[in-house]
Amino acid sequence: MTEATQDNRTTSSQKVIYAAIAANLGIAVAKFIVAGITGSASMVAEGIHSAVDTGNELLLLLGERRGARPPDRKHPFGYGKSLYFWALIVALSVFSLGGGLSIYHGIAALQAPPPLEDPMWNYVVLVAAAIFEGYSWNVSRKALNAVRKPGTTLWQAVRASKDASVFTVFIEDSAALLGIAIAAGGIALGQYFGNPYFDPAASILIGLLLIGAAFMLARETGALLVGESIDPDQLAALYALFRREPALDTVASLRTMQLGPEDVLLAASVQFRRGMRIDEVEQAIARLEAAVAAGHPAIRHVYFEASALRAVLH
């Protein structure tokens, strides 16, 4: 991976995060102000949601910065997985703070629902929130589309993405837009039927939505944190590349592990042809490393198992 590629990825990820911070911070303040005026439980839930999202984006920025640190003695493969760790913390905060508090507040409001008030300011803030969240969502969508394979859906692009910053913001913003719709629906139904229980019920639904989003984030970031491989198509292309090398008799296995959004480790278990001189083996390894770097720039570490060389030397 070239420095230009790394810089482009970092710039794209940070643009997504900064857009989300700007949207969520302003929206959170507005939602809490209107919730205080109208007493709407669903607006409180939405305010909590936006405030949690703002803190989450700051955690992702921390992960980006820590993940960009160069390798050192204690971390010879670098700090790329720091981003996955902090993205997992984001998932936990969405679950506990966002989902848990929204459900708690909704249940409390169901027990003593506030009287119905004029909902005009609720709608004004929700419309503004939808505009800002929509902008942030679109920025993350474009970042996903930039790496999405032809013929795949946006959800498949999320599942395949190794950039936790981008897919975390995308999932959060998708949940935020759905939450806005639920809050608006709860307020509107409460006014239409003259029933104060619709609004706190909407708060509980928003909490359940956030818990679902948290599980989704935890599953994606957890898989990357424990060492996910590259996707099957890339792995198949890698096998084809190795099998084209005439110096190899067999390619037993190619094992990969994602160390960061654009940082992959490859361990190759191969068999060189018997009778080759050591300089011929070295040339074959150099050809393979060059081909891997050209076709798969994210693979920054290539290792050949010792058994491959022992068979040649004996």
Side-chain angles (χ1 to χ4, degrees), residues 27-36 43 46-47 50 125-126 129 133 180:
I27 293 168
V29 172
K31 285 175 179 176
F32 279 127
I33 291 173
V34 170
M43 286 301 294
E46 277 297 293
S50 295
V125 171
L126 288 174
E133 290 285 8
I180 289 169

Side-chain angles (χ1 to χ4, degrees), residues 239-254:
Y239 269 101
L241 184 155
F242 271 72
R243 285 167 180 155
R244 287 194 297 268
E245 172 53 51
L248 297 180
D249 264 345
T250 59
V251 181
S253 67
L254 300 175

Side-chain angles (χ1 to χ4, degrees), residues 47-48 59 115 131 176 217:
I48 292 170
L59 291 179
I131 293 171
L217 285 173

